[in-house]
Amino acid sequence: MSEPSELTNARSRGALARWLPLAGWLAQYDRQSLGRDLLAAVIVSVMLVPQALAYALLAGLPAQVGLYASMLPLVLYALFGTSSTLAVGPVAIISLMTASAIAGMSGADGAALSTPEMLAAALLLALISGAMLVAMGLLRLGALVNFISHPVISGFMTASGVLIIASQLGPMSGLRLSGGNLLEMGESWLSLPQGAGVHWPTLALGLGCWAALTLARRHLKQGLMALGMRESAAGMLCKTTPILAVILSSLLAWGLRLGEQGMALVGSVPGGLPTLSLPSLVSNDWSGLLVSALLISVVGFVESLALAQTLAARRRQRIDPDKELIALGLSNMGAGVSGGMPISGGLSRSVVNFDAGAATPLAGAFTAIGILLASLWLTDWLAWLPRATLAAIIIVATSSLIDLAAIRRTFRYSKGDGAALMITLIITLVQGVESGIIVGILVSLGLYLKRTSQPHSALVGRVPGSEHFRNVERHEVETDPELAILRIDESLYFANARYLEDTVLALVAQQPSLRHLVLACQAVNLIDASALESLEVINERLTAAGVSLHLSEVKGPVMDRLKRSELPVNLGGEIYLSTFDAWQALSIHGSHCGQCCARDGVSQTAAAG
């Protein structure tokens, strides 16, 4: 009786873990894991407080929104996430996209959104984005992110980094600049009223914080290690330098009353916990958020998944993309009902979480508790925090997004991918983040269709004394004037079906003595209905011309589908297991191949497709 009961319990735990990953590892949670998670949570909480404030302001929202977005979402990810080290919360790119989405809306009366309306729009954006992610996870669409090429993502990230830095030049200098792209920001700067110049105390503080944070990022770790500190401790201390900048600049603003001298401060930050409520529809064009929500969902998921998989590989752990969709979706929905904003996985915080030794996703839940305590006890001090300090923190954190070396590498490797990267980058800079990512995706898909609609093919011959076949234009090979072997290096589908017809018929026209044509299909993973019809047309035309069509090295799944058609029955020739089998059967050299190969010690076993 006990064994069936234990088996039932194990199955129940497995079924629960499939939907609630927490149930899979919580039973093995011990005191050592608790200690590692608590240590990581303390360090990440110290990092997250200034970042959360900064990214909320970057999105055009009140500072406390960043804190609210760092509580319930982190708890939900701890329950449903599959990464032990991914630290979710407000991030720079998603904040910029949120600002762009909200800026494109108008209020119920057609005027610009007020602050409460902007906040309601951000909540609605997070809720819709989260619902889309959950839906994609339930439909197991995690693999769809592969349709966005890495060059497009790289161009988008670089351009977003430039836009974020440009957007912070106003807070850094005391100027009131606005705009969602470089053109609008430049126009805003040119249209400043006379007398609206740089506020020099603000600029001095901002540049001072920027210089200190930059020097700390580049040199502090080595300096501390030179003084005898361990590398891990020195690295952790370097990551907490933004909180030191926040404390010192706040004390300076409080002691010198810099707010009374015209310096922009964060101002009053409401203390306590956010209220749980559904966002209201505050705009006549709220449906315009749908596209923005979809783009935020996709970009946030791509960034989070890549980061989670990279960190998981270091520990030989596995990330489930579909479960990550659900976890990030629920986290965003949690932000939407708790006064937050759209969130994603943060690069710097996740790396720190990993380096600090976080053992499980509970480190994120403990981080949420740290942010809760900060919201309860530190809000009075946060009112004195200069916005220039937060701008400096954003600029330093975002500078890592700009990867000029990737542009050079991509262009050197592939002109087409380099063009996709540059188009994405330029459109993002001059039109905004949404236009940039949409155009980038379209260009990426267009390049894919162009490459696959004209698949590479090669006329191959036999390498003497072997069972190998290579391109006749690259190698010294044996050929037969009555036999042509055409290797197809791409799957066959509707976009390239006609191109295959033209290629084959052109080849036949160039070789009047041809009697046999073999299509070597080792690289063909799919033959769709359109390509099947083209093969049937090719077979009919070759038969009429006195040429037999043969296939070789057809993969099992492809052959299974072909068997459900009339092609194998009507084929003028045969379907061979290997190209070497076809060569032996059809070539004038074929009768000598067995003797040649036996003499040279080469196996005659047909190679599998």
Side-chain angles (χ1 to χ4, degrees):
M1 293 293 292
S2 61
E3 290 185 4
S5 177
E6 292 178 1
L7 182 60
T8 301
N9 292 336
R11 289 177 176 174
S12 300
R13 288 194 298 270
L16 181 60
R18 190 170 69 178
W19 296 103
L20 191 67
L22 173 76
W25 51 261
L26 190 59
Q28 288 78 40
Y29 198 71
D30 54 21
R31 183 176 299 178
Q32 182 180 6
S33 298
L34 175 63
R36 292 169 59 186
D37 286 343
L38 286 173
L39 175 62
V42 170
I43 297 173
V44 174
S45 297
V46 171
M47 282 187 65
L48 183 52
V49 169
Q51 287 186 353
L53 298 172
Y55 293 146
L57 295 177
L58 174 61
L61 302 170
Q64 69 270 16
V65 173
L67 297 176
Y68 296 162
S70 306
M71 297 183 197
L72 183 58
L74 276 69
V75 175
L76 289 171
Y77 185 83
L79 294 174
F80 296 96
T82 61
S83 171
S84 61
T85 54
L86 185 68
V88 301
V91 297
I93 289 182
I94 301 302
S95 299
L96 180 66
M97 297 180 72
T98 299
S100 177
I102 296 174
M105 299 181 65
S106 58
D109 56 357
L113 295 181
S114 62
T115 299
E117 288 177 327
M118 293 176 65
L119 177 57
L123 297 177
L124 188 61
L125 189 62
L127 191 64
I128 296 174
S129 175
M132 288 179 173
L133 286 169
V134 171
M136 288 190 287
L138 294 176
L139 294 174
R140 299 184 178 275
L141 300 180
L144 286 182
V145 299
N146 296 330
F147 283 96
I148 306 179
S149 68
H150 180 75
V152 167
I153 292 296
S154 180
F156 176 75
M157 293 287 191
T158 296
S160 297
V162 173
L163 286 180
I164 291 171
I165 291 174
S167 71
Q168 297 307 299
L169 297 180
M172 278 274 288
S173 60
L175 297 173
R176 295 184 177 274
L177 303 178
S178 61
N181 55 61
L182 290 185
L183 296 180
E184 293 177 353
M185 293 178 191
E187 183 181 354
S188 173
W189 179 71
L190 292 174
S191 61
L192 286 173
Q194 291 185 349
V198 172
H199 188 255
W200 296 108
T202 298
L203 181 62
L205 179 64
L207 289 177
C209 289
W210 170 79
L213 292 171
T214 301
L215 290 174
R217 170 174 283 200
R218 295 179 179 178
H219 305 295
L220 181 58
K221 181 178 178 180
Q222 290 79 1
L224 293 174
M225 291 173 60
L227 294 175
M229 185 176 290
R230 290 186 305 171
E231 181 179 1
S232 58
M236 293 300 171
L237 187 60
C238 291
K239 301 295 184 181
T240 62
T241 50
I243 199 69
L244 183 62
V246 167
I247 294 173
L248 293 179
S249 61
S250 298
L251 289 173
L252 187 65
W254 173 73
L256 300 179
R257 300 293 172 179
L258 295 179
E260 299 174 3
Q261 301 176 32
M263 181 175 291
L265 307 178
V266 169
S268 177
V269 178
L273 302 178
T275 57
L276 299 179
S277 62
L278 290 173
S280 59
L281 304 182
V282 298
S283 171
N284 287 330
D285 61 349
W286 67 270
S287 59
L289 288 175
L290 295 177
V291 174
S292 299
L294 179 61
L295 296 177
I296 287 174
S297 301
V298 172
V299 172
F301 177 63
V302 170
E303 185 180 9
S304 299
L305 183 64
L307 178 58
Q309 289 178 330
T310 300
L311 296 177
R314 298 183 186 179
R315 294 184 178 178
R316 300 188 178 184
Q317 297 173 342
R318 179 179 177 274
I319 300 298
D320 187 320
D322 295 318
K323 290 181 181 178
E324 284 297 295
L325 278 169
I326 295 174
L328 287 172
L330 292 175
S331 299
N332 271 282
M333 294 178 72
V337 300
S338 61
M341 56 186 284
I343 57 96
S344 181
L347 174 60
S348 59
R349 296 193 301 272
S350 297
V351 172
V352 169
N353 203 32
F354 178 91
D355 291 340
T360 71
L362 275 184
F366 296 144
T367 300
I369 295 175
I371 301 300
L372 184 151
L373 296 176
S375 300
L376 291 175
W377 295 339
L378 300 180
T379 52
D380 290 341
W381 276 104
L382 293 175
W384 293 98
L385 176 60
R387 295 199 175 203
T389 301
L390 295 179
I393 292 173
I394 291 175
I395 290 174
V396 173
T398 305
S399 60
S400 61
L401 295 176
I402 302 176
D403 190 356
L404 299 180
I407 299 176
R408 293 192 296 270
R409 289 194 306 268
T410 304
F411 263 107
R412 186 167 58 245
Y413 183 76
S414 169
K415 295 295 189 295
D417 287 335
L421 187 154
M422 287 303 300
I423 290 173
T424 303
L425 188 150
I426 293 171
I427 294 298
T428 302
L429 289 177
V430 301
Q431 291 294 325
V433 290
E434 292 185 3
S435 299
I437 193 65
I438 290 174
V439 171
I441 292 173
L442 293 177
V443 170
S444 182
L445 292 176
L447 288 173
Y448 170 78
L449 290 175
K450 182 179 183 299
R451 282 193 293 258
T452 58
S453 65
Q454 298 179 357
H456 179 267
S457 59
L459 192 63
V460 300
R462 175 176 175 263
V463 177
S466 75
E467 300 178 9
H468 302 291
F469 292 80
R470 294 293 184 268
N471 192 332
V472 298
E473 297 180 359
R474 293 176 178 266
H475 301 273
E476 293 292 334
V477 293
E478 294 179 350
T479 59
D480 184 339
E482 296 185 354
L483 170 65
I485 303 175
L486 185 66
R487 190 188 69 218
I488 308 298
D489 295 336
E490 184 63 66
S491 293
L492 302 177
Y493 72 117
F494 64 92
N496 59 29
R498 181 60 183 271
Y499 185 82
L500 177 64
E501 290 184 38
D502 296 338
T503 301
V504 169
L505 296 178
L507 175 62
V508 173
Q510 292 170 4
Q511 298 188 21
S513 61
L514 192 66
R515 293 180 53 209
H516 301 283
L517 173 65
V518 179
L519 295 182
C521 302
Q522 57 262 52
V524 177
N525 298 313
L526 169 71
I527 297 178
D528 74 356
S530 298
L532 175 64
E533 185 174 341
S534 289
L535 288 175
E536 292 172 342
V537 170
I538 291 171
N539 181 56
E540 292 175 1
R541 293 184 179 179
L542 292 185
T543 301
V547 178
S548 299
L549 176 66
H550 308 268
L551 303 179
S552 71
E553 307 205 34
V554 180
K555 295 183 177 180
V558 178
M559 193 66 223
D560 291 340
R561 299 183 67 176
L562 288 180
K563 288 178 180 178
R564 298 198 292 268
S565 71
E566 299 295 326
L567 181 65
V569 177
N570 298 329
L571 194 65
E574 302 292 334
I575 300 178
Y576 293 96
L577 179 63
S578 72
T579 304
F580 184 67
D581 287 343
W583 172 268
Q584 283 187 306
L586 304 174
S587 171
I588 59 174
H589 307 286
S591 59
H592 305 293
C593 283
Q595 299 174 5
C596 266
C597 291
R599 184 173 63 250
D600 295 338
V602 180
S603 171
Q604 296 188 59
T605 303

